[in-house]
């Protein structure tokens, strides 16, 4: 069981990295809390009462055993304080939590997973989650994978921590498009059994690094699907590292893709400016829109007679993210030595730079 007392969570929620503080004299409770800290990848400090020399104020998270609550009544108030007990029937625990200014009351063993997640947030220094953008083609061959790679390369070139995620097992692998199919690092099958929480730092370090960004792609094996729980765990870990995450999406909607869509801030639907492509994109938009509220279109030339980018936007009833004029990188991806958008010039690179400038401003305002 876990309960909230107040919304003041200044230290832990601010993204500051540090060691959690445990205050208890209960040996059994201490063993449990040390075990949970180890599971979260954190090494705590342990005291019988408030530490001296500023440790009470500086700790990002304080776990107070119910046995120690009476010794903390005169301690300075602070956020990020959790009162931990075992007796589910002890109604007095709420009074003691108020007396010491606790944010939460947690009972073991019921609240173990919540506490592990909270401790892991502290260990990882969690701050603002990554701005996460998904790209999907309005029809086959629309250039969605190329745009996803170009967006990621542009983000990394601008100095942002960037992770590119290949969510399409039938797409051939984004590591191939980036020229890194032999690069060392884990691919999706290594995370197929992931459940619960995946460490964001460990995830980032385990993936291939290509062109100053990390890439989660597919290998050349027979694994063609990842369980929705694994998709949820991996993308949540990717978002906790901050920066940007770009997801290349398939043109179908299953449970795993729905989990990916639920993690997105913005979706980009790449639509070639031809009537059949607009009709196909309408079906994709209907399916994606059931999960993702912010879906925009990127219209790719050349234009069929009677169509322009604004007309495509009107026909689909979706906001226009921008125009992708004709460029060889979109029609013949992977033929050059440099990845899409790497040079920083041309219409594709300009689209990506302008998109990030707008999206990051919007995210900051939100």
């Amino acid at each position: 069981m876990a309960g909230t007392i107040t919304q003041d969570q200044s230290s832990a929620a601010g993204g500051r990295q540090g060691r959690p503080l445990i205050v208890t004299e209960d040996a059994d409770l201490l063993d449990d809390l040390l075990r949970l800290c180890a599971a979260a990848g954190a090494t705590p400090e342990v005291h019988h009462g408030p530490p001296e020399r500023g440790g009470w104020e500086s700790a990002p998270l304080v776990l107070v055993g119910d046995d120690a609550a009476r010794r903390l009544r005169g301690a300075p108030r602070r956020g990020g304080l959790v009162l931990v007990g075992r007796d589910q029937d002890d109604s007095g625990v709420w009074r003691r939590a108020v007396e010491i200014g606790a944010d939460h009351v947690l009972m073991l063993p019921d609240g173990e997973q919540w506490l592990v997640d909270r401790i892991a947030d502290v260990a990882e220094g969690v701050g603002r989650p990554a701005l996460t953008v998904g790209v999907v083609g309005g029809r086959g061959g629309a250039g969605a994978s190329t745009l996803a790679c170009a967006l990621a390369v542009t983000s990394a070139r601008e100095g942002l921590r960037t992770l590119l995620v290949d969510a399409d097992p039938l797409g051939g692998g984004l590591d191939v498009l980036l020229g890194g199919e032999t690069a060392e690092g884990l691919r999706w099958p290594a995370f197929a059994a992931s459940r619960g929480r995946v460490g964001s730092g460990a995830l980032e370090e385990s993936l291939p690094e290509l062109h100053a960004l990390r890439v989660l792609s597919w290998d050349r094996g027979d694994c063609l699907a990842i369980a929705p729980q694994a998709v949820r765990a991996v993308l949540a870990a990717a978002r906790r590292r901050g920066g940007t995450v770009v997801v290349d999406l398939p043109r179908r909607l299953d449970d795993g893709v729905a989990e990916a869509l639920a993690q997105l801030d913005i979706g980009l639907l790449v639509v070639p400016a031809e009537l059949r492509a607009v009709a196909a994109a309408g079906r994709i938009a209907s399916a994606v829109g059931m999960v993702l509220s912010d879906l925009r279109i990127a219209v790719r030339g050349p234009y069929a007679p009677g169509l322009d980018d604004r007309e495509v936007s009107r026909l689909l009833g979706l906001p226009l993210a921008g125009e992708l004029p004709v460029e060889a990188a979109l029609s013949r991806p992977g033929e050059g030595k440099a990845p899409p958008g790497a040079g920083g010039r041309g219409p594709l690179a300009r689209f990506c730079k302008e998109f990030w400038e707008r999206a990051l401003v919007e995210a900051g305002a939100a």
Side-chain angles (χ1 to χ4, degrees), residues 203-214:
L203 172 68
E204 183 179 40
E205 293 171 4
S206 72
L207 299 178
E209 183 173 9
L210 303 169
H211 308 285
L213 59 96
R214 297 284 180 167

Side-chain angles (χ1 to χ4, degrees), residues 20-24 33 37 61-65 80-82 84 115 119:
L21 171 65
I22 297 175
V23 181
T24 185
L33 293 178
C37 284
L61 180 66
V62 179
L63 309 178
V64 178
L81 193 154
V82 181
V84 185
L115 189 55
I119 297 169

Side-chain angles (χ1 to χ4, degrees), residues 251-275:
R251 295 177 56 249
R252 68 179 192 281
L253 186 60
D254 57 23
D255 290 343
V257 175
E259 287 289 352
L261 289 171
Q263 301 270 1
L264 300 182
D265 298 304
I266 301 171
L268 287 178
L269 180 62
V270 183
V271 185
E274 55 190 46
L275 287 177

Side-chain angles (χ1 to χ4, degrees), residues 127-195:
R128 174 177 290 181
L131 176 60
T132 306
V133 177
V135 186
V136 61
R139 66 153 168 81
S145 295
T146 301
L147 177 57
C149 286
L151 285 168
V153 167
T154 302
S155 171
R157 190 174 61 245
E158 296 296 316
L160 296 171
R161 174 186 279 121
T162 306
L163 175 59
L164 175 62
V165 178
D166 187 352
D168 186 0
L170 302 179
L174 294 186
D175 54 351
V176 176
L177 187 54
L178 292 172
E181 60 269 26
T182 61
E184 293 186 1
L186 299 182
R187 267 67 173 181
W188 263 119
F191 301 97
S194 298
R195 300 292 186 273

Side-chain angles (χ1 to χ4, degrees), residues 117-366:
D117 289 346
R118 187 73 181 275
I119 297 169
D121 285 344
V122 168
E124 295 175 358
V126 171
R128 174 177 290 181
L131 176 60
T132 306
V133 177
V135 186
V136 61
R139 66 153 168 81
S145 295
T146 301
L147 177 57
C149 286
L151 285 168
V153 167
T154 302
S155 171
R157 190 174 61 245
E158 296 296 316
L160 296 171
R161 174 186 279 121
T162 306
L163 175 59
L164 175 62
V165 178
D166 187 352
D168 186 0
L170 302 179
L174 294 186
D175 54 351
V176 176
L177 187 54
L178 292 172
E181 60 269 26
T182 61
E184 293 186 1
L186 299 182
R187 267 67 173 181
W188 263 119
F191 301 97
S194 298
R195 300 292 186 273
R197 185 187 182 98
V198 173
S200 60
L203 172 68
E204 183 179 40
E205 293 171 4
S206 72
L207 299 178
E209 183 173 9
L210 303 169
H211 308 285
L213 59 96
R214 297 284 180 167
V215 182
L216 176 54
S217 189
W218 298 84
D219 61 14
R220 265 35 80 182
D222 296 330
C223 180
L224 297 178
I226 300 295
Q229 302 95 316
V231 175
R232 183 191 313 131
V234 169
L235 287 182
R239 283 173 56 82
R240 287 197 302 272
R241 292 296 281 175
T244 67
V245 175
V246 180
V247 184
D248 183 28
L249 297 161
R251 295 177 56 249
R252 68 179 192 281
L253 186 60
D254 57 23
D255 290 343
V257 175
E259 287 289 352
L261 289 171
Q263 301 270 1
L264 300 182
D265 298 304
I266 301 171
L268 287 178
L269 180 62
V270 183
V271 185
E274 55 190 46
L275 287 177
R276 288 187 64 192
V278 173
R283 297 173 66 88
I284 300 296
S286 295
V288 171
M290 292 189 295
V291 182
L292 178 63
S293 60
D294 190 351
L295 180 62
R296 313 174 189 183
I297 61 168
V299 181
R300 173 188 154 191
Y303 291 97
L307 286 181
D308 59 20
D309 53 354
R310 296 185 183 278
E311 179 63 9
V312 174
S313 174
R314 186 191 68 80
L315 290 171
L316 291 173
L318 292 172
L320 180 64
E323 178 189 12
L324 287 170
V326 180
E327 184 173 0
L330 282 167
S331 57
R332 299 189 300 276
E335 291 189 2
K337 294 183 179 180
R345 294 182 295 274
L348 180 59
R350 285 196 300 272
F351 174 93
C352 294
K353 181 176 175 57
E354 292 170 2
F355 170 81
W356 285 124
E357 288 175 351
R358 292 193 305 269
L360 290 167
V361 169
E362 292 172 3

